[in-house]
Amino acid sequence: MYESMKGMLAKANAEGYAVMAINAFNLETARGVITAAEEMDAPIIIDLLQDHVKSFFDCDILTRPIIKMAQAAHVPVAINLDHGSDIAHLKRCLHEGFSSVMCDASAYDAQENARITREIVELAQIYGASVEAEVGNMGRIDESGALLTDDDMYTDPDVAIEFIRATGVDCLAVSYGSTHGDYPEGYVPTFHFDIVEKIKQATGTPLVLHGGSGAGDDNMRRSVEAGINKINVGTDYMIAQREFVARALAENPGYDYPTLVEDSWRAGVATIKHYIEISGSAGRAR
Ligand code: 13P
């Protein structure tokens, strides 16, 4: 069942759970996401990162077969452009059939972010697609593994509340402690759940946790309680596949390559199923 995130997240919001949004970058990794969701009877979002779409597979080629897979799935599946900051490219993705887009204008000031987002919300309505936006910015990890965070990264709840009212977005990514990518060994980030609670109480809008990998299961469960209805995970899915490939080649350097590719996405399915369990979305396909 191919859907936009709108109805999916409205149901999650009403019933108090989060839908997992998993980064995929080709047909195999998208198949892994759908397989995990079907095995857990859960709704799911395939997050296609703008940079991956641009570098690995132009959107008009990639979208069609993934939409076909989504249509054939036994569970609701949305395709979301993740971190769409190139507005011309984002518009093209809407045209090519993405059921959801994240309009990431968070690098601009709040007013300009709202102006750009509002325009995309109006355009997306024509396509029946849903829109995610972001206020605040996630910290990040540099090449050496050092965590680069500061007070500016946190979402100001009052700015987010005004932003939601001004734009009419379907869901909003908020920054309250997580960071994209892999954390240094043993590091568990501190989350400020009050930011999520305040925005949720004022607006009732589905909110999004980015940088789910390594956030910690407890932080995720508490995020859902605070009002998060979409959780993004990318890195942990990729790591599960990379570790499988490394092990498989160490044990058998002559591993048949097509079988290796096939077995590697299957090796990532367990990681997604774990997060589906934590998010509370298992068994919520209907
Ligand atoms: P991680 O790769 O840290 O899980 O983050 C994924 C994400 O938030 C994509 O937008």
Side-chain angles (χ1 to χ4, degrees), residues 40-84:
M40 298 297 278
D41 196 32
I44 201 89
I45 298 158
I46 300 176
D47 255 352
L48 299 178
L49 195 61
Q50 172 188 280
D51 293 349
H52 286 167
V53 175
K54 281 183 168 185
S55 11
F56 299 148
F57 230 130
D58 212 3
C59 63
D60 51 348
I61 301 172
L62 177 65
T63 314
R64 305 272 157 85
I66 297 185
I67 290 176
K68 274 195 169 180
M69 284 199 280
Q71 286 166 339
H74 306 304
V75 295
V77 181
I79 296 179
N80 182 44
L81 176 69
D82 195 22
H83 291 285

Coordinates of all heavy atoms in Angstrom, one line a residue, residues 40-84:
M40 N 6.9 -7.4 10.6 CA 6.4 -6.8 11.8 C 5.0 -6.3 11.7 O 4.4 -5.7 12.7 CB 7.3 -5.7 12.3 CG 8.7 -6.1 12.6 SD 8.9 -7.2 13.9 CE 8.8 -6.2 15.3
D41 N 4.4 -6.4 10.5 CA 3.0 -5.8 10.3 C 3.0 -4.4 10.7 O 2.0 -4.0 11.5 CB 2.0 -6.7 11.1 CG 0.6 -6.4 10.5 OD1 0.4 -6.1 9.3 OD2 -0.4 -6.4 11.3
A42 N 3.9 -3.6 10.3 CA 4.1 -2.2 10.7 C 4.0 -1.2 9.5 O 4.5 -1.6 8.4 CB 5.4 -2.0 11.5
P43 N 3.5 0.0 9.7 CA 3.6 1.0 8.6 C 5.1 1.4 8.6 O 5.8 1.3 9.6 CB 2.7 2.1 9.1 CG 2.7 1.9 10.6 CD 2.8 0.5 10.9
I44 N 5.5 1.9 7.5 CA 7.0 2.2 7.4 C 7.2 3.4 6.4 O 6.4 3.6 5.5 CB 7.8 1.0 6.9 CG1 9.3 1.2 7.3 CG2 7.7 0.7 5.5 CD1 9.6 0.7 8.7
I45 N 8.3 4.1 6.6 CA 8.6 5.2 5.7 C 10.0 4.9 5.1 O 10.9 4.6 5.9 CB 8.6 6.6 6.4 CG1 7.2 6.9 6.9 CG2 9.2 7.7 5.5 CD1 7.2 7.9 8.1
I46 N 10.2 4.9 3.8 CA 11.5 4.8 3.2 C 12.0 6.2 3.0 O 11.4 7.0 2.2 CB 11.4 4.1 1.8 CG1 10.8 2.7 2.1 CG2 12.8 4.0 1.2 CD1 10.6 1.9 0.8
D47 N 13.1 6.5 3.7 CA 13.7 7.9 3.6 C 14.8 7.8 2.6 O 15.8 7.2 2.8 CB 14.3 8.3 5.0 CG 13.4 9.3 5.7 OD1 12.4 9.8 5.2 OD2 13.7 9.6 6.9
L48 N 14.6 8.6 1.5 CA 15.6 8.6 0.5 C 16.3 10.0 0.6 O 15.7 11.0 0.3 CB 15.0 8.5 -0.9 CG 14.3 7.2 -1.2 CD1 13.7 7.2 -2.6 CD2 15.2 6.0 -1.1
L49 N 17.5 9.9 1.1 CA 18.3 11.1 1.3 C 18.6 11.9 0.0 O 19.1 11.2 -0.9 CB 19.6 10.7 2.0 CG 20.5 11.8 2.7 CD1 19.7 12.5 3.9 CD2 21.7 11.1 3.3
Q50 N 18.4 13.2 0.0 CA 18.6 13.9 -1.2 C 20.0 13.6 -1.9 O 20.1 13.4 -3.1 CB 18.5 15.4 -0.9 CG 18.9 16.3 -2.1 CD 18.9 17.8 -1.6 OE1 17.9 18.4 -1.5 NE2 20.1 18.3 -1.4
D51 N 21.0 13.6 -1.0 CA 22.3 13.5 -1.6 C 22.5 12.1 -2.2 O 23.2 11.9 -3.2 CB 23.4 13.7 -0.5 CG 23.4 15.2 -0.1 OD1 22.7 16.0 -0.8 OD2 24.1 15.5 0.9
H52 N 21.9 11.1 -1.6 CA 21.9 9.7 -2.2 C 21.2 9.7 -3.5 O 21.6 9.1 -4.5 CB 21.3 8.7 -1.2 CG 22.2 8.4 0.0 ND1 21.7 7.7 1.1 CD2 23.5 8.7 0.2 CE1 22.7 7.6 2.0 NE2 23.8 8.2 1.5
V53 N 20.0 10.3 -3.5 CA 19.2 10.3 -4.7 C 20.0 10.9 -5.9 O 20.0 10.4 -7.0 CB 17.8 11.0 -4.5 CG1 17.1 11.1 -5.8 CG2 17.0 10.3 -3.5
K54 N 20.6 12.0 -5.5 CA 21.4 12.8 -6.6 C 22.6 12.0 -7.0 O 22.9 12.0 -8.2 CB 21.8 14.1 -6.1 CG 20.7 15.2 -6.1 CD 21.3 16.5 -5.6 CE 20.4 17.6 -5.8 NZ 21.0 18.9 -5.5
S55 N 23.3 11.4 -6.1 CA 24.6 10.8 -6.5 C 24.4 9.3 -7.0 O 25.2 8.9 -7.8 CB 25.6 10.8 -5.4 OG 25.2 11.1 -4.2
F56 N 23.5 8.6 -6.5 CA 23.4 7.2 -6.8 C 22.4 6.8 -7.9 O 22.5 5.8 -8.5 CB 23.2 6.3 -5.6 CG 24.2 6.4 -4.5 CD1 23.9 6.3 -3.2 CD2 25.5 6.7 -4.8 CE1 24.8 6.5 -2.2 CE2 26.5 6.8 -3.8 CZ 26.1 6.7 -2.5
F57 N 21.4 7.6 -8.0 CA 20.3 7.1 -8.8 C 19.4 8.3 -9.1 O 18.7 8.7 -8.2 CB 19.5 6.1 -8.0 CG 19.2 4.8 -8.7 CD1 19.5 3.6 -8.0 CD2 18.6 4.7 -9.9 CE1 19.2 2.4 -8.6 CE2 18.3 3.5 -10.5 CZ 18.6 2.4 -9.8
D58 N 19.3 8.8 -10.3 CA 18.5 10.0 -10.4 C 17.0 9.7 -10.1 O 16.5 8.6 -10.3 CB 18.6 10.5 -11.9 CG 18.5 12.0 -12.0 OD1 18.3 12.6 -10.9 OD2 18.4 12.5 -13.1
C59 N 16.3 10.7 -9.6 CA 15.0 10.4 -8.9 C 14.0 9.8 -9.8 O 13.2 8.9 -9.5 CB 14.4 11.6 -8.2 SG 14.0 13.0 -9.2
D60 N 13.9 10.1 -11.1 CA 12.9 9.6 -12.0 C 13.1 8.1 -12.3 O 12.2 7.4 -12.5 CB 12.8 10.4 -13.3 CG 14.1 10.6 -14.0 OD1 15.1 10.3 -13.4 OD2 14.1 11.0 -15.1
I61 N 14.4 7.7 -12.2 CA 14.7 6.2 -12.4 C 14.4 5.4 -11.1 O 13.8 4.4 -11.1 CB 16.2 6.1 -12.8 CG1 16.4 6.8 -14.1 CG2 16.5 4.6 -13.0 CD1 17.9 6.9 -14.5
L62 N 14.8 6.0 -10.0 CA 14.7 5.3 -8.7 C 13.3 5.1 -8.2 O 12.9 4.1 -7.7 CB 15.6 6.0 -7.7 CG 15.5 5.4 -6.2 CD1 16.2 4.0 -6.2 CD2 16.3 6.3 -5.3
T63 N 12.5 6.2 -8.4 CA 11.2 6.3 -7.7 C 10.3 5.2 -8.2 O 9.6 4.6 -7.4 CB 10.6 7.7 -8.0 OG1 11.6 8.7 -7.7 CG2 9.5 7.9 -7.0
R64 N 10.1 5.1 -9.5 CA 9.1 4.2 -10.0 C 9.2 2.8 -9.5 O 8.2 2.3 -9.0 CB 9.1 4.2 -11.6 CG 9.1 5.5 -12.2 CD 7.6 6.0 -12.5 NE 7.5 7.4 -12.6 CZ 7.7 8.1 -13.7 NH1 8.0 7.5 -14.8 NH2 7.6 9.4 -13.7
P65 N 10.3 2.1 -9.6 CA 10.4 0.7 -9.0 C 10.1 0.6 -7.5 O 9.5 -0.3 -7.1 CB 11.8 0.2 -9.4 CG 12.5 1.3 -9.9 CD 11.6 2.4 -10.3
I66 N 10.5 1.7 -6.8 CA 10.3 1.6 -5.3 C 8.8 1.8 -5.1 O 8.2 1.2 -4.2 CB 11.2 2.7 -4.6 CG1 12.6 2.3 -4.8 CG2 10.8 2.7 -3.1 CD1 13.6 3.2 -4.0
I67 N 8.2 2.7 -5.9 CA 6.7 2.9 -5.7 C 6.0 1.6 -6.0 O 5.1 1.2 -5.3 CB 6.2 4.0 -6.6 CG1 6.7 5.4 -6.1 CG2 4.7 4.0 -6.7 CD1 6.3 6.6 -7.0
K68 N 6.5 0.9 -7.0 CA 5.9 -0.4 -7.4 C 6.0 -1.4 -6.2 O 5.1 -2.1 -5.9 CB 6.5 -1.0 -8.6 CG 5.9 -0.5 -9.9 CD 6.4 -1.4 -11.0 CE 5.6 -1.1 -12.3 NZ 6.0 -2.0 -13.4
M69 N 7.2 -1.4 -5.6 CA 7.4 -2.3 -4.4 C 6.4 -1.9 -3.3 O 5.9 -2.7 -2.6 CB 8.8 -2.2 -3.9 CG 9.8 -2.9 -4.7 SD 11.4 -3.2 -3.8 CE 12.2 -1.7 -4.0
A70 N 6.3 -0.5 -3.1 CA 5.4 0.0 -2.0 C 4.0 -0.4 -2.3 O 3.3 -0.9 -1.4 CB 5.6 1.5 -1.9
Q71 N 3.6 -0.3 -3.5 CA 2.2 -0.6 -3.9 C 1.9 -2.1 -3.6 O 0.8 -2.5 -3.2 CB 1.9 -0.3 -5.3 CG 1.8 1.2 -5.6 CD 1.8 1.6 -7.1 OE1 2.3 0.8 -7.9 NE2 1.3 2.7 -7.4
A72 N 2.9 -2.9 -3.9 CA 2.7 -4.4 -3.7 C 2.8 -4.8 -2.2 O 2.5 -6.0 -1.9 CB 3.7 -5.1 -4.6
A73 N 3.3 -4.0 -1.4 CA 3.5 -4.3 0.0 C 2.2 -4.6 0.8 O 1.2 -4.0 0.4 CB 4.3 -3.2 0.8
H74 N 2.3 -5.4 1.8 CA 1.0 -5.7 2.6 C 0.8 -4.7 3.7 O -0.1 -4.9 4.5 CB 1.2 -7.1 3.2 CG 1.5 -8.2 2.2 ND1 0.7 -8.4 1.1 CD2 2.5 -9.1 2.1 CE1 1.2 -9.4 0.4 NE2 2.3 -9.8 0.9
V75 N 1.8 -3.8 3.8 CA 1.7 -2.8 4.9 C 1.8 -1.4 4.3 O 2.2 -1.3 3.1 CB 2.8 -2.9 5.9 CG1 2.7 -4.3 6.7 CG2 4.2 -2.8 5.2
P76 N 1.3 -0.3 5.0 CA 1.4 1.0 4.4 C 2.9 1.4 4.3 O 3.7 1.3 5.2 CB 0.7 1.9 5.4 CG -0.1 1.0 6.2 CD 0.6 -0.3 6.2
V77 N 3.3 1.9 3.1 CA 4.7 2.4 2.9 C 4.6 3.8 2.3 O 3.9 4.0 1.3 CB 5.4 1.5 1.9 CG1 6.8 1.9 1.7 CG2 5.4 0.0 2.4
A78 N 5.4 4.7 2.8 CA 5.6 6.1 2.3 C 7.0 6.2 1.8 O 7.9 5.6 2.3 CB 5.3 7.1 3.3
I79 N 7.2 7.0 0.7 CA 8.5 7.4 0.3 C 8.7 8.8 0.5 O 7.9 9.7 0.1 CB 8.7 7.1 -1.2 CG1 8.6 5.6 -1.5 CG2 10.1 7.5 -1.7 CD1 8.7 5.2 -2.9
N80 N 9.7 9.1 1.3 CA 10.0 10.5 1.7 C 11.4 11.0 1.3 O 12.3 10.3 1.5 CB 9.9 10.6 3.3 CG 10.1 12.0 3.8 OD1 9.5 12.9 3.3 ND2 10.9 12.1 4.9
L81 N 11.4 12.1 0.6 CA 12.7 12.7 0.3 C 13.3 13.3 1.6 O 12.7 14.1 2.2 CB 12.5 13.9 -0.7 CG 13.8 14.6 -1.1 CD1 14.8 13.8 -1.9 CD2 13.5 15.9 -1.8
D82 N 14.4 12.8 2.0 CA 15.0 13.2 3.3 C 16.0 14.3 3.1 O 16.8 14.3 2.2 CB 15.8 11.9 3.9 CG 16.1 12.0 5.3 OD1 15.4 12.8 6.0 OD2 17.0 11.3 5.8
H83 N 15.8 15.4 3.9 CA 16.7 16.6 3.9 C 16.7 17.2 2.4 O 17.8 17.4 1.9 CB 18.1 16.3 4.4 CG 18.1 16.0 5.8 ND1 18.0 17.0 6.8 CD2 18.2 14.8 6.5 CE1 18.0 16.5 8.0 NE2 18.1 15.1 7.9
G84 N 15.6 17.4 1.9 CA 15.5 18.1 0.6 C 15.8 19.6 0.8 O 14.9 20.4 1.1

